[in-house]
Amino acid sequence: MVDDQPDVAAGILDGVDWRALHVEKAYSALSAAEAKALLLREKIDILLCDIEMPGENGLSLLRWARNRNMDFVCVFLTSHADFLYAKEAIQLNCFDYILQPARYDEIQATVARAIAQVKDTSAVKELLHYGAIAKSQEAALFQNLFSDWSAGKELPSALQAVL
C-alpha cells in the first residue's frame, strides 16, 4: 500500500481482511521513494498505490518498476478521475483503477481478483518453464521412449491416447 497520507494507508491496512484473502504480509510506504526501496527488498505480488503524491507520483513509480521488469499487479486508488491518469495507468498495464473514497469491501474484492490474476499468471509461467525444460531434453525423452517401446515396455497411457 503506497499513499502519502498515513491515515489512508493505515485505514486500508486495517480495513481490508487480509487474513480472509490469505495474504501473508501487507506492507505500507508513504512515498514513491519508500515504495521503491520496498520493491527492491521484498517480492511484491500486488501493489495498491495512490497516484497523486508529493515528489514522485504513483504513475512514475509504476513506470520505474515496469522499466526494471518488476512483475506485480498494480491497483491505483485515487481521488482523481482524470482521463489522462487512467489512460497512462492502462498503458502501464494497471490491473484496476479505484476512485477514492472507496469502501473497504470494494478494495478487498479488487484485491481478491488481483490475487486470482497473480495465481493464474504464476501457473502459466510454471507451465512455460516446464515446457522449456522438456523441449531442451526432447531428444533424450524420445530416446528413452523409443528404448522402452523397443524393449516391449508398455507406454504411459497419456502417450497411448496421443498415438
Side-chain angles (χ1 to χ4, degrees):
M1 176 67 224
V2 184
D3 198 302
D4 62 304
Q5 299 176 53
D7 57 327
V8 172
I12 291 173
L13 288 178
D14 290 339
V16 171
D17 187 353
W18 302 102
R19 201 171 301 150
L21 294 170
H22 306 289
V23 172
E24 293 177 22
K25 293 181 183 178
Y27 303 95
S28 67
L30 299 177
S31 68
E34 280 184 37
K36 285 178 179 180
L38 185 63
L39 287 165
L40 291 170
R41 189 175 64 245
E42 302 289 340
K43 169 69 174 115
I44 302 297
D45 293 316
I46 300 170
L47 181 75
L48 301 174
C49 188
D50 186 15
I51 291 181
E52 277 299 322
M53 296 182 287
E56 184 175 0
N57 71 26
L59 293 166
S60 175
L61 170 63
L62 182 57
R63 190 176 318 103
W64 173 87
R66 296 294 190 234
N67 286 338
R68 283 156 185 75
N69 296 316
M70 292 182 177
D71 189 22
F72 55 79
V73 173
C74 181
V75 175
F76 281 116
L77 300 161
T78 183
S79 58
H80 298 278
D82 186 322
F83 173 74
L84 294 177
Y85 281 163
K87 181 181 175 187
E88 187 171 356
I90 290 168
Q91 290 170 343
L92 291 168
N93 197 25
C94 174
F95 180 76
D96 208 340
Y97 190 100
I98 299 175
L99 289 176
Q100 293 280 53
R103 295 183 332 267
Y104 294 133
D105 62 333
E106 178 185 356
I107 296 168
Q108 185 164 329
T110 301
V111 171
R113 288 187 304 105
I115 289 169
Q117 174 77 19
V118 168
K119 287 180 180 177
D120 288 348
T121 301
S122 294
V124 168
K125 285 180 183 177
E126 186 175 2
L127 287 173
L128 289 172
H129 174 72
Y130 287 132
I133 290 171
K135 182 69 175 166
S136 72
Q137 300 297 317
E138 183 178 31
L141 289 170
F142 281 120
Q143 179 62 41
N144 288 340
L145 282 172
F146 181 75
S147 295
D148 287 351
W149 175 76
S150 63
K153 293 183 182 176
E154 190 171 324
L155 293 175
S157 59
L159 282 177
Q160 290 177 9
V162 173
L163 301 175

